[in-house]
Amino acid sequence: MRVMAQVAMVMNLDKCIGCHTCSVTCKQAWTNRQGTEYVWFNNVETLPGQGYPRRWEDQEKWRGGWERTRSGRLRLRAGGRLKKLGGLFANPHLPELGDYYQPWTYEYKNLTEAPAGDDLPTARPVSQITGEPVDTIAWGPNWDDNLGGAPAHAPKDPVVEKIRDEVGERIRFEFEQSFMFYLPRICEHCLNPACVSSCPSGAMYKREEDGIVLADQDACRGWRMCVTGCPYKKVYFNHATGKAEKCTFCFPRIEVGMPTVCSETCVGRMRYLGVMLYDADKVGEAAAVEDEHDLYPAQVDCFLDPHDPAVAAAARAAGITHEWIEAARNSPVYDLIATYQVALPLHPEYRTMPMVWYVPPLSPVVEAVAATGSDGEDAGNLFGAIDALRIPVEYLAEILTAGDTYAVEAVLRRMAAMRAHMRAINLGERPDESVARAVGLTGTEMEDMFRLLAIAKIEDRFVVPSAARAEADALADTHPLDAPCPVGDRPEPRVMLNLGPTRRVS
């Protein structure tokens, strides 16, 4: 057992209101300079929709992530060394600017500095990249917002296309009319990052002390193989510097015990930060399981119980400090993933072992039941709605469990049981313990889960070990403050869990 620590995030999609505050604050903090006009390290997508960049989930086109060979090994979907060498100067699997959007601004000076006259001044849209007028604004990073243009755009959602034959007309009628949710996305900071293994120059790396994946700006040569390798398309190319950039998980804030900017500014309070301990020796085997439906439980099996004395002893032997072990024990992320088992990974079939997980939305189920005139909070009604697939659970499953509807239904049943349990308490009634037992929890666990998901305070939602401050000070001693230090260029030790044939560094 080789114990390692990872800072991870869970987002409760049942509470996301689609306000995009996280996107704006991240944009202002990290991508407000030349070359990053189109870059959104954090973006919020409306589902169903094509996402950002457009149709990023279509790996048959973009060739991101890993695939399992017949021999049971993992290889990059984009190909190994020889294939990369052959396409070094002409990579066909890269999103173009049109797949993102043409960033634009307006000629505001025409409004503020126009001389007096008979003509009404206008502020034409102009490209932020070329400076030329933009005749037609045809796409943007949030074009699908609130199902905008859904009849034209939602059918092009790769997941909708994949399951339309299975689900049939219910996708078109019930789904698009009554079911919509928001999906905030950042870099997944995976345990088995394909972007790291795709980089020919070794510029992409995974930090040993906290698992954050970064891009070394000095080492980057602009090959853009990392953009292809990332199946979530969360690595961007800065056309001004010729370097790759990505979400940094706000590592300067993490190092001093502060939450990420997107987490702290989230209006819905739906983000959770915490430390996960995992067995690094199990990552390769878990990522290479044959059945895609087994990827989610295989990754959960990699996580270690920080309350186990043997795990704690192994963690200390591996150099993990007492503060980090305590943070893992108090981690809301561990509780949501392992204790209550209501958080699921995003597209585990990419085999990157993502570390940003999601609690699937239950609200559309409640609304669908209430629309029939029934009690939308009654456990029996909710369980019946889930069992009857009143919403396309297949769609959620394709996003969160590689198509395993059983895992999604189990999570939705736990969420429904929690609502029914807390409703009884709020009405002064005696909760039915059989409802909790039916989903494998106790009444006390139901109440604890409710506190965490609904009314948790900031110190409960963000458990980042402040002991990282000492590590940051130590790094500062080895890297003078007056020395240039671009984003991601840190002298800390690296661990690269490259499980494919491209390269293997331990």
Side-chain angles (χ1 to χ4, degrees), residues 465-477:
S466 58
R469 179 61 178 266
E471 298 177 9
D473 293 340
L475 289 175
D477 293 337

PDB file of all heavy atoms in Angstrom, residues 465-477:
ATOM      1  N   PRO A 465      -6.052  21.620   4.727  1.00  0.00           N
ATOM      2  CA  PRO A 465      -5.101  21.680   5.843  1.00  0.00           C
ATOM      3  C   PRO A 465      -4.228  22.925   5.789  1.00  0.00           C
ATOM      4  O   PRO A 465      -3.518  23.155   4.812  1.00  0.00           O
ATOM      5  CB  PRO A 465      -4.273  20.403   5.672  1.00  0.00           C
ATOM      6  CG  PRO A 465      -4.455  20.003   4.248  1.00  0.00           C
ATOM      7  CD  PRO A 465      -5.825  20.461   3.856  1.00  0.00           C
ATOM      8  N   SER A 466      -4.306  23.714   6.841  1.00  0.00           N
ATOM      9  CA  SER A 466      -3.519  24.944   6.894  1.00  0.00           C
ATOM     10  C   SER A 466      -2.039  24.660   7.052  1.00  0.00           C
ATOM     11  O   SER A 466      -1.206  25.551   6.888  1.00  0.00           O
ATOM     12  CB  SER A 466      -4.003  25.833   8.042  1.00  0.00           C
ATOM     13  OG  SER A 466      -3.912  25.141   9.280  1.00  0.00           O
ATOM     14  N   ALA A 467      -1.688  23.424   7.414  1.00  0.00           N
ATOM     15  CA  ALA A 467      -0.277  23.079   7.546  1.00  0.00           C
ATOM     16  C   ALA A 467       0.459  23.236   6.231  1.00  0.00           C
ATOM     17  O   ALA A 467       1.687  23.256   6.200  1.00  0.00           O
ATOM     18  CB  ALA A 467      -0.130  21.643   8.043  1.00  0.00           C
ATOM     19  N   ALA A 468      -0.277  23.336   5.140  1.00  0.00           N
ATOM     20  CA  ALA A 468       0.376  23.563   3.852  1.00  0.00           C
ATOM     21  C   ALA A 468       1.110  24.889   3.834  1.00  0.00           C
ATOM     22  O   ALA A 468       1.971  25.115   2.986  1.00  0.00           O
ATOM     23  CB  ALA A 468      -0.659  23.515   2.729  1.00  0.00           C
ATOM     24  N   ARG A 469       0.788  25.787   4.767  1.00  0.00           N
ATOM     25  CA  ARG A 469       1.475  27.077   4.840  1.00  0.00           C
ATOM     26  C   ARG A 469       2.967  26.861   5.078  1.00  0.00           C
ATOM     27  O   ARG A 469       3.801  27.546   4.497  1.00  0.00           O
ATOM     28  CB  ARG A 469       0.871  27.916   5.972  1.00  0.00           C
ATOM     29  CG  ARG A 469       1.512  29.284   6.161  1.00  0.00           C
ATOM     30  CD  ARG A 469       1.351  30.146   4.908  1.00  0.00           C
ATOM     31  NE  ARG A 469       1.923  31.463   5.087  1.00  0.00           N
ATOM     32  CZ  ARG A 469       1.224  32.523   5.493  1.00  0.00           C
ATOM     33  NH1 ARG A 469      -0.060  32.399   5.737  1.00  0.00           N
ATOM     34  NH2 ARG A 469       1.794  33.688   5.624  1.00  0.00           N
ATOM     35  N   ALA A 470       3.301  25.891   5.932  1.00  0.00           N
ATOM     36  CA  ALA A 470       4.708  25.619   6.198  1.00  0.00           C
ATOM     37  C   ALA A 470       5.409  25.123   4.936  1.00  0.00           C
ATOM     38  O   ALA A 470       6.556  25.496   4.658  1.00  0.00           O
ATOM     39  CB  ALA A 470       4.835  24.589   7.314  1.00  0.00           C
ATOM     40  N   GLU A 471       4.710  24.291   4.151  1.00  0.00           N
ATOM     41  CA  GLU A 471       5.299  23.811   2.916  1.00  0.00           C
ATOM     42  C   GLU A 471       5.497  24.959   1.922  1.00  0.00           C
ATOM     43  O   GLU A 471       6.489  25.013   1.208  1.00  0.00           O
ATOM     44  CB  GLU A 471       4.408  22.730   2.310  1.00  0.00           C
ATOM     45  CG  GLU A 471       4.254  21.493   3.198  1.00  0.00           C
ATOM     46  CD  GLU A 471       3.304  20.476   2.594  1.00  0.00           C
ATOM     47  OE1 GLU A 471       2.922  20.663   1.423  1.00  0.00           O
ATOM     48  OE2 GLU A 471       2.963  19.512   3.289  1.00  0.00           O
ATOM     49  N   ALA A 472       4.539  25.878   1.882  1.00  0.00           N
ATOM     50  CA  ALA A 472       4.662  27.022   0.984  1.00  0.00           C
ATOM     51  C   ALA A 472       5.853  27.888   1.378  1.00  0.00           C
ATOM     52  O   ALA A 472       6.592  28.379   0.526  1.00  0.00           O
ATOM     53  CB  ALA A 472       3.379  27.847   1.010  1.00  0.00           C
ATOM     54  N   ASP A 473       6.046  28.084   2.689  1.00  0.00           N
ATOM     55  CA  ASP A 473       7.191  28.868   3.142  1.00  0.00           C
ATOM     56  C   ASP A 473       8.498  28.173   2.778  1.00  0.00           C
ATOM     57  O   ASP A 473       9.479  28.828   2.399  1.00  0.00           O
ATOM     58  CB  ASP A 473       7.106  29.083   4.664  1.00  0.00           C
ATOM     59  CG  ASP A 473       5.937  29.977   5.051  1.00  0.00           C
ATOM     60  OD1 ASP A 473       5.454  30.714   4.168  1.00  0.00           O
ATOM     61  OD2 ASP A 473       5.504  29.920   6.218  1.00  0.00           O
ATOM     62  N   ALA A 474       8.498  26.847   2.902  1.00  0.00           N
ATOM     63  CA  ALA A 474       9.708  26.106   2.551  1.00  0.00           C
ATOM     64  C   ALA A 474      10.011  26.222   1.062  1.00  0.00           C
ATOM     65  O   ALA A 474      11.165  26.361   0.655  1.00  0.00           O
ATOM     66  CB  ALA A 474       9.560  24.639   2.956  1.00  0.00           C
ATOM     67  N   LEU A 475       8.960  26.187   0.246  1.00  0.00           N
ATOM     68  CA  LEU A 475       9.152  26.353  -1.190  1.00  0.00           C
ATOM     69  C   LEU A 475       9.657  27.745  -1.523  1.00  0.00           C
ATOM     70  O   LEU A 475      10.483  27.936  -2.413  1.00  0.00           O
ATOM     71  CB  LEU A 475       7.846  26.074  -1.931  1.00  0.00           C
ATOM     72  CG  LEU A 475       7.375  24.610  -1.967  1.00  0.00           C
ATOM     73  CD1 LEU A 475       6.014  24.525  -2.617  1.00  0.00           C
ATOM     74  CD2 LEU A 475       8.370  23.751  -2.710  1.00  0.00           C
ATOM     75  N   ALA A 476       9.173  28.735  -0.780  1.00  0.00           N
ATOM     76  CA  ALA A 476       9.613  30.103  -1.022  1.00  0.00           C
ATOM     77  C   ALA A 476      11.102  30.256  -0.739  1.00  0.00           C
ATOM     78  O   ALA A 476      11.801  31.044  -1.383  1.00  0.00           O
ATOM     79  CB  ALA A 476       8.806  31.071  -0.166  1.00  0.00           C
ATOM     80  N   ASP A 477      11.608  29.499   0.240  1.00  0.00           N
ATOM     81  CA  ASP A 477      13.032  29.575   0.557  1.00  0.00           C
ATOM     82  C   ASP A 477      13.888  29.028  -0.570  1.00  0.00           C
ATOM     83  O   ASP A 477      15.011  29.486  -0.803  1.00  0.00           O
ATOM     84  CB  ASP A 477      13.323  28.791   1.847  1.00  0.00           C
ATOM     85  CG  ASP A 477      12.689  29.451   3.070  1.00  0.00           C
ATOM     86  OD1 ASP A 477      12.428  30.672   3.002  1.00  0.00           O
ATOM     87  OD2 ASP A 477      12.460  28.752   4.067  1.00  0.00           O
TER      88      ASP A 477
END
